[in-house]
Amino acid sequence: MTVCVCSHPQGCDPMLMTLRSRLQHRRARINQQINKELRMRAGAENLFRATTNHKVRETVALELSFVNSNLQLLKEELEELNSNMEVYQTESESVNVPMIPLGLKETKEVDLSAALKDFICEHYGEDGLQYENEIRELADLRQAMRTPSRSEAGVELLMEYYNQLYFLDQRFFPVGKTLGVYFHWYDSLTGVPSCQRALAFEKGSVLFNMGALYTQIGARQDRCTSEGIDSAIEAFQRAAGNYLKENFSNAPSLDMSAASLAMLVRLMLAQVQECVFERVLLLLRDDQFTTHLQVAQEAAQVSDMYWLVLQTMGQPLVKDYVPFSWATMAQVKTEHFRALSHYYAAVALCEHAQSTQWDDGAGERALHHFHTSTPKGPPLGHVLQDPEERRKLGKAHLRRAIMRHEEAMRVHSLCKILRKMDILQEVLSLMHKRSLHCYSHIDHEDDFFETVEAPDVQSKTEQKPEIKTPDFSRVQVTDIFRRLGPLPIFSARNRRSAPRVVILQRSDGGLGLTLRGDSPVLCTVCPNEAGLREGDYIVSVNGVDCKWAKHADVVHTLKTYSESGVELCVITLLSPEVSFTGGKTGGSIAVGGDETGGGWGGS
C-alpha cells in the first residue's frame, strides 16, 4: 500500500506523560548530563596535561575522579532505563515471556535556517527569505520525527523525513561539501553524544530509529492471538531488515557499528523465532503426538537462536557495550526454551504416544528424527509400543526440563533489573511448577535405578525468520523545496551561472527562438545580439516563474508578450553532469505568432 503524504503527521505530544514518554524524557535528560560531564572531563584532562603546577594537578586529578564517578552513575542509570522492557510490553493480561525492545536515539534541535538561506542565495541566486515557509516546514517535520508514535503512523513519519532527506541532500549538499551545520545524536545505549556535518549521519540515525521503533511495535503486540503474533513477527522481521549496516560502514557511534548491528539483527531474528513457537503452541491440538514433537522442536530452535545471540553479545566489541540485563535475558531464554523442548517431548511420549497406532507410522518416523542422537535402550519403534519405555524416556526428558528450568531461574536471580520484572518471574516459576507436577505424576517408587538419559531435542522450525527491508516507496512525499525548480537541473551537484535577465524585442522574423523540452524549457537556437546562449534554461518570463512550466505553456506566454518584447531570466549549466534529452522541439516564434520550423510537437 502506498501512502501519499499531503500534510505532515505530528509526533507524540511531549506533554502527554505516558510511561513510554516519561522513559524517553528521562533518557534525554541523562543524555544531556552525560554530555556535560564528558565536556568537563575533556577540559580537565587538557588542563592536567598542560599544567606543571603540582597543586593544580592535584586539584584537577581530584575533580577528574568526581567527574568519572558521576559519569559511571549516569551510565548505570541509563543502562537501567535501557533495560526497562516492561514499559514497551503489551498492556493485555496475557502471560508471555517479555521481548527485548530498543530505545530510540535522542537528538538535539538543529537550526538549518541561516545555512539554507545562504545556500539558496549563493547557489541558486534567489532570495533565501522567500523560502522561510519551506524551511519552517522542514524544521517542523524534524521536530515531529523526534517523538514518533509507537505505530505504523510513527514509522511512516520517520520514512517521510528520511525521504525528504534525499531531496535535501540533492538540493543543498554538493559532492564533498557540507552546509557547516552539525547534527547531534546520542548513542541509544550509552548516551555518549556524536556530532557530524555529514547528512549521512542524520540518515543513518533515522534508519536506526526506524528499526528501534519496529522493536517497540513488536514488543507491544498481544501474543495470545494469531493476529497479535503475526503482527509481532512482521515488526521484528522489519526491525532485522533495516539496511543500516549495508549503507553506513563508518559508524559514528557504537550503536551503529557493524558488530552491534549484527548482534541486534540476531536478537530480532531470535524474537521472530520465539513468536513462531508461540503460534505453533497456540494452534496445538491436545491429542496429537506429532504436533507435540513439533512444538518441542520449535522450542529447541528458539533456544538455539538465543544461544547464538548470547555468543554474539560476548564478542569483544560488544561485550562491554550490551546491557547486562540483555545478555542475562538471552541466557534465561536459552535455558527456558530448552527446558520447554524437553517438557513437550515428555508430554508427547507419556500422554499422546498411543495415538501413533492410527497414524500409519508417521509418529515413529517423526521420533527417529527427533533427537540429536539416538537414545540408549530399546529401538524407538519398540519404545512407542511399550508404555513403560515411553514413561522412562519421558521421565528422563522431564528431569532435563526441570534442570533447565532451575538454571533459567538461577540466572534470572543474578540480574537486579530482571528480578523486578514480575511477568518474567511468573512465567519461569509457572513453567517450573508445571514440569515438577508432571514429573511427580509419572514417578514411581521403584525408579531408583533407572539409567535412561534423554538426548537433546533436534531443533526444527516450520517458518524460518525472513529479513524484510523497509519499503520507502510506500510513503510518497513532495519535495519541500520544489519551488527551486526541477531537481535534475536545480540541484547542488550542478554548477550554474547566476541568473541573467535578457530582453528580447520583436523583429520581422519574430523572436528568433527555438525551444526544446519541459520543466524547464531549453533554448537551442537564439538571437546572438540578445545575450542568450545555446543551452540556456528559461526560469521566468516577464517575472512569471516558469521553472516547472510545460513547453506549450512557455510558448503561449512568449506569444502573448511578443508584440511588446519579452524579459527572460535564464541560467546556464556549467557542469556536464546533466544532459537534457527528449522533450518537445519547435521552430522560431514569428511575427503574429505564426509557427515555422516543424511545429511544437515531435520529439
Side-chain angles (χ1 to χ4, degrees):
M1 180 183 69
T2 300
V3 178
C4 183
V5 180
C6 299
S7 60
H8 298 301
Q10 299 298 312
C12 293
D13 184 1
M15 302 303 294
L16 185 62
M17 286 288 103
T18 62
L19 287 175
R20 175 173 169 264
S21 61
R22 279 199 294 267
L23 180 64
Q24 288 292 109
H25 181 74
R26 287 175 62 192
R27 291 178 77 246
R29 177 180 56 81
I30 293 174
N31 285 332
Q32 293 172 2
Q33 290 176 327
I34 289 175
N35 191 19
K36 178 182 176 182
E37 294 291 339
L38 286 172
R39 291 199 304 268
M40 291 177 61
R41 185 173 72 176
E45 288 174 344
N46 290 336
L47 179 58
F48 187 84
R49 286 191 293 265
T51 186
T52 57
N53 187 298
H54 182 66
K55 289 186 176 180
V56 174
R57 289 175 69 90
E58 282 186 348
T59 303
V60 173
L62 182 62
E63 182 65 26
L64 272 173
S65 68
F66 281 124
V67 171
N68 287 328
S69 297
N70 288 339
L71 268 175
Q72 184 61 33
L73 291 174
L74 287 170
K75 288 182 177 180
E76 288 177 0
E77 185 178 355
L78 183 62
E79 179 182 347
E80 185 170 351
L81 290 180
N82 289 329
S83 303
N84 193 328
M85 306 173 202
E86 288 186 296
V87 170
Y88 300 102
Q89 306 302 316
T90 177
E91 296 178 357
S92 73
E93 298 187 5
S94 59
V95 180
N96 292 107
V97 180
M99 295 295 189
I100 298 178
L102 187 62
L104 303 180
K105 288 173 72 72
E106 300 286 345
T107 182
K108 286 183 177 181
E109 291 187 14
V110 177
D111 186 5
L112 294 169
S113 177
L116 293 180
K117 288 177 183 177
D118 289 345
F119 193 87
I120 289 173
C121 180
E122 295 172 5
H123 185 77
Y124 294 102
E126 298 190 42
D127 185 0
L129 294 174
Q130 301 299 316
Y131 288 85
E132 285 189 338
N133 289 337
E134 285 86 347
I135 294 172
R136 191 179 305 112
E137 184 179 354
L138 178 66
D140 290 344
L141 179 59
R142 189 180 192 276
Q143 181 64 26
M145 73 89 199
R146 295 174 65 184
T147 56
S149 60
R150 194 160 40 127
S151 63
E152 278 298 322
V155 174
E156 289 168 6
L157 176 58
L158 289 172
M159 283 188 174
E160 179 186 356
Y161 181 66
Y162 185 86
N163 287 344
Q164 284 293 348
L165 289 180
Y166 164 78
F167 291 115
L168 193 71
D169 187 24
Q170 297 292 315
R171 296 283 191 191
F172 298 102
F173 287 80
V175 177
K177 296 182 180 179
T178 67
L179 286 178
V181 177
Y182 283 93
F183 298 99
H184 294 259
W185 288 84
Y186 295 93
D187 189 288
S188 175
L189 296 179
T190 65
V192 174
S194 299
C195 64
Q196 287 192 8
R197 289 179 294 182
L199 194 63
F201 181 40
E202 179 88 345
K203 291 180 180 179
S205 299
V206 174
L207 276 178
F208 184 94
N209 275 0
M210 202 179 303
L213 190 59
Y214 270 125
T215 70
Q216 297 178 16
I217 293 173
R220 75 173 299 186
Q221 301 302 319
D222 181 5
R223 304 195 314 275
C224 283
T225 65
S226 294
E227 294 78 9
I229 292 173
D230 290 341
S231 297
I233 289 174
E234 180 72 11
F236 288 129
Q237 286 183 151
R238 292 199 177 277
N242 193 307
Y243 57 74
L244 180 61
K245 183 173 63 174
E246 286 74 17
N247 286 268
F248 299 92
S249 55
N250 298 320
S253 57
L254 280 175
D255 55 357
M256 295 166 67
S257 67
S260 296
L261 293 174
M263 178 273 296
L264 290 173
V265 168
R266 279 193 172 178
L267 175 60
M268 293 308 112
L269 295 181
Q271 295 190 146
V272 171
Q273 201 67 63
E274 183 176 347
C275 292
V276 172
F277 164 79
E278 291 173 339
R279 185 172 60 192
V280 172
L281 187 61
L282 188 66
L283 302 176
L284 177 65
R285 291 179 55 186
D286 289 340
D287 59 345
Q288 288 290 328
F289 173 74
T290 54
T291 53
H292 278 79
L293 294 185
Q294 180 188 2
V295 172
Q297 291 185 303
E298 289 283 356
Q301 180 75 17
V302 178
S303 178
D304 286 351
M305 295 283 285
Y306 276 111
W307 183 84
L308 287 175
V309 173
L310 190 60
Q311 299 307 304
T312 308
M313 288 180 174
Q315 296 297 316
L317 295 177
V318 183
K319 184 177 181 180
D320 297 329
Y321 174 71
V322 174
F324 176 66
S325 60
W326 284 23
T328 306
M329 177 67 93
Q331 188 175 357
V332 167
K333 289 193 175 188
T334 300
E335 300 295 337
H336 173 70
F337 284 100
R338 183 59 63 182
L340 290 182
S341 70
H342 288 292
Y343 170 78
Y344 283 104
V347 170
L349 288 165
C350 297
E351 298 183 14
H352 304 296
Q354 63 272 19
S355 64
T356 59
Q357 57 185 309
W358 299 289
D359 66 1
D360 298 326
E364 184 175 348
R365 289 193 297 272
L367 192 59
H368 272 290
H369 299 91
F370 181 70
H371 296 98
T372 56
S373 61
T374 304
K376 295 181 180 179
L380 292 177
H382 177 71
V383 169
L384 277 180
Q385 302 302 320
D386 188 336
E388 180 61 20
E389 292 297 334
R390 292 200 307 268
R391 185 189 69 83
K392 289 181 180 179
L393 183 56
K395 184 178 177 182
H397 276 291
L398 278 176
R399 278 200 302 270
R400 296 203 61 185
I402 292 169
M403 291 172 61
R404 292 286 192 157
H405 280 309
E406 290 173 349
E407 179 63 12
M409 296 171 70
R410 184 193 70 81
V411 173
H412 167 264
S413 67
L414 299 177
C415 181
K416 179 181 70 174
I417 295 173
L418 294 189
R419 289 200 301 270
K420 295 179 181 179
M421 298 182 65
D422 295 336
I423 184 68
L424 178 59
Q425 192 162 354
E426 182 181 352
V427 170
L428 296 178
S429 177
L430 185 64
M431 297 299 103
H432 180 237
K433 290 178 180 177
R434 185 176 67 172
S435 293
L436 285 174
H437 175 74
C438 189
Y439 186 85
S440 64
H441 181 69
I442 65 172
D443 188 28
H444 292 172
E445 293 182 359
D446 56 351
D447 285 347
F448 295 110
F449 301 104
E450 287 184 354
T451 58
V452 176
E453 287 294 330
D456 275 332
V457 176
Q458 179 67 52
S459 58
K460 184 180 178 182
T461 181
E462 67 167 18
Q463 178 183 339
K464 290 185 177 180
E466 177 185 354
I467 294 178
K468 294 188 175 182
T469 56
D471 179 15
F472 293 100
S473 64
R474 71 187 181 94
V475 179
Q476 299 291 333
V477 300
T478 301
D479 179 11
I480 290 178
F481 292 92
R482 186 177 185 276
R483 282 202 298 139
L484 287 172
L487 195 56
I489 306 299
F490 300 89
S491 76
R493 271 67 168 173
N494 293 331
R495 293 187 305 113
R496 33 170 280 174
S497 67
R500 309 190 316 277
V501 176
V502 176
I503 306 296
L504 292 182
Q505 297 295 337
R506 189 184 72 168
S507 65
D508 293 340
L511 293 176
L513 287 176
T514 300
L515 306 179
R516 176 185 175 191
D518 284 328
S519 308
V521 170
L522 177 70
C523 298
T524 57
V525 176
C526 48
N528 296 329
E529 66 276 6
L532 281 174
R533 306 169 191 166
E534 183 180 349
D536 280 350
Y537 288 95
I538 300 176
V539 296
S540 71
V541 178
N542 278 15
V544 178
D545 188 287
C546 60
K547 291 192 288 286
W548 286 96
K550 296 295 184 182
H551 184 273
D553 296 332
V554 175
V555 170
H556 176 74
T557 303
L558 290 173
K559 288 180 179 180
T560 302
Y561 292 110
S562 64
E563 295 294 330
S564 57
V566 181
E567 179 182 283
L568 302 181
C569 182
V570 298
I571 61 167
T572 305
L573 286 188
L574 304 177
S575 55
E577 285 89 339
V578 176
S579 59
F580 203 95
T581 59
K584 299 175 183 177
T585 62
S588 16
I589 300 177
V591 179
D594 293 333
E595 300 173 8
T596 61
W600 300 104
S603 59

